[in-house]
Amino acid sequence: MQNIERRLNDIRTKHGKWTAHNIALPGGIYTIGPHASVMDIRRGDYFVEIAMAIFGEDLRNLAVLDLGCLEGGLSIQFARLDVHVDGVDIRGDSIAKARTAADILELNSLRFFEGDVLNLPKIELRNTYDIILCAGLLYHLDAKDQFPFLRSLAERCSGIIIVDTHISHEAVDVFEGSEGLILSGRFIQEGGTSAEDRRTAMWASWSNNRSFWLTEQSLSNALYTAGFSLVTKATQPTFRWPWKDRKTWIAFRGSGMPRVFQAEHLTEADNRPSEHPTVAAGRNVHV
């Protein structure tokens, strides 16, 4: 156990303390501490639960891609089940921490890559993945990058993408993207004004000073237009955040065949009557 603590302390000296993922290690040791929050362990288990509900209990033959993996906590929860997992993060400090935890746990099916999620072809990843995790990442991207990013994920996804993200409840700002897609939401100022500030701001964007939080309707439209055949929100089981503007969506890649039904884009303002005429007339009342 002393060797584990020594390794953790060496990494903390070189790359900083763990700030996001409190990973459970042998001997009751945690990367942050035994009394710190284990929320991300629970969130990793939540994503595993979603995967098992769709793919079955045995996930060992599946491949998972964890984008913006930070210190590797979510990747590790999948890798503990012998799932093939690749984690990607642009910050080398985070990748060093993730690799250390994975090595201590002897998780041989887990790889971590330092790289930009907006340029996945430059990273030596698999061609396709059964499950792509996009957790705590999308809302750090600028509006112009969101649809191209989701399109790149659709091209690499053979199963599902799990999107855990903040949304905007109001369509304050509008961005007109490609393929007739109009994204509504809210521009947010990101932390760090210089490159050095952003490098050390572990929970912030990397190169953009502002990000764009999509509305729920725009998120669904963007995923559908990017090539996912079914987009749904996870309502139960649910992971309870302290905030009401963060939820989990699941998008299914589907067969890739031409669509029989061409869905319309969801609109921000729904002006349809709230009641069917028979309800409004009271004809559904039984005496």
Side-chain angles (χ1 to χ4, degrees):
M1 299 308 116
Q2 291 181 345
N3 182 53
I4 293 177
E5 289 286 12
R6 183 167 57 251
R7 293 185 64 180
L8 294 181
N9 287 331
D10 287 344
I11 291 296
R12 289 170 184 141
T13 300
K14 295 177 183 178
H15 300 282
K17 295 180 180 180
W18 270 260
T19 64
H21 296 168
N22 194 24
I23 301 166
L25 302 174
I29 298 172
Y30 287 79
T31 52
I32 298 178
H35 304 297
S37 171
V38 293
M39 181 176 67
D40 277 284
I41 294 177
R42 294 186 61 250
R43 187 161 60 119
D45 290 342
Y46 169 57
F47 294 147
V48 167
E49 181 76 15
I50 290 175
M52 285 182 172
I54 296 169
F55 293 98
E57 182 178 0
D58 188 355
L59 304 178
R60 284 177 295 178
N61 293 325
L62 301 184
V64 175
L65 177 61
D66 182 8
L67 296 174
C69 66
L70 281 172
E71 296 154 353
L74 304 182
S75 297
I76 283 173
Q77 292 306 98
F78 275 92
R80 289 179 191 272
L81 303 176
D82 293 327
V83 180
H84 301 287
V85 185
D86 288 340
V88 177
D89 200 274
I90 201 166
R91 290 178 171 85
D93 289 332
S94 290
I95 292 299
K97 298 173 194 175
R99 286 173 176 165
T100 298
D103 186 50
I104 290 172
L105 291 166
E106 300 181 349
L107 297 173
N108 299 322
S109 64
L110 175 55
R111 305 185 300 174
F112 287 108
F113 299 87
E114 181 181 348
D116 189 350
V117 298
L118 297 181
N119 201 349
L120 292 178
K122 285 192 173 182
I123 308 171
E124 295 181 4
L125 300 172
R126 295 169 179 258
N127 291 328
T128 61
Y129 291 87
D130 302 284
I131 302 168
I132 296 179
L133 297 180
C134 182
L137 171 63
L138 191 63
Y139 61 85
H140 284 306
L141 303 183
D142 202 351
K144 64 181 177 59
D145 296 321
Q146 302 223 4
F147 180 72
F149 172 66
L150 293 175
R151 170 62 63 81
S152 73
L153 300 192
E155 294 171 350
R156 202 173 285 266
C157 180
S158 60
I160 65 169
I161 177 175
I162 300 175
V163 181
D164 165 33
T165 187
H166 286 291
I167 59 167
S168 173
H169 290 302
E170 297 176 307
V172 178
D173 301 306
V174 174
F175 176 81
E176 295 187 18
S178 59
E179 302 190 33
L181 184 64
I182 297 177
L183 301 178
S184 299
R186 182 190 298 269
F187 283 106
I188 300 292
Q189 182 70 38
E190 283 282 342
T193 56
S194 68
E196 179 59 24
D197 288 342
R198 288 192 293 269
R199 188 188 73 82
T200 56
M202 307 300 286
W203 296 9
S205 64
W206 176 257
S207 59
N208 48 294
N209 289 327
R210 71 172 188 176
S211 58
F212 192 69
W213 291 19
L214 297 167
T215 63
E216 183 175 353
Q217 292 87 342
S218 286
L219 173 60
S220 296
N221 290 340
L223 286 165
Y224 185 77
T225 305
F228 293 94
S229 60
L230 173 64
V231 182
T232 184
K233 182 164 66 173
T235 56
Q236 196 62 275
T238 187
F239 185 84
R240 188 174 179 85
W241 286 96
W243 317 278
K244 294 182 180 179
D245 63 1
R246 185 159 179 171
K247 296 292 183 181
T248 302
W249 284 261
I250 307 166
F252 293 76
R253 185 64 177 98
S255 64
M257 298 295 290
R259 287 170 172 160
V260 176
F261 173 74
Q262 292 295 327
E264 299 177 356
H265 282 169
L266 302 173
T267 58
E268 302 300 334
D270 189 348
N271 297 319
R272 295 173 299 170
S274 59
E275 292 182 337
H276 190 276
T278 58
V279 176
R283 291 200 294 272
N284 66 324
V285 176
H286 300 279
V287 179

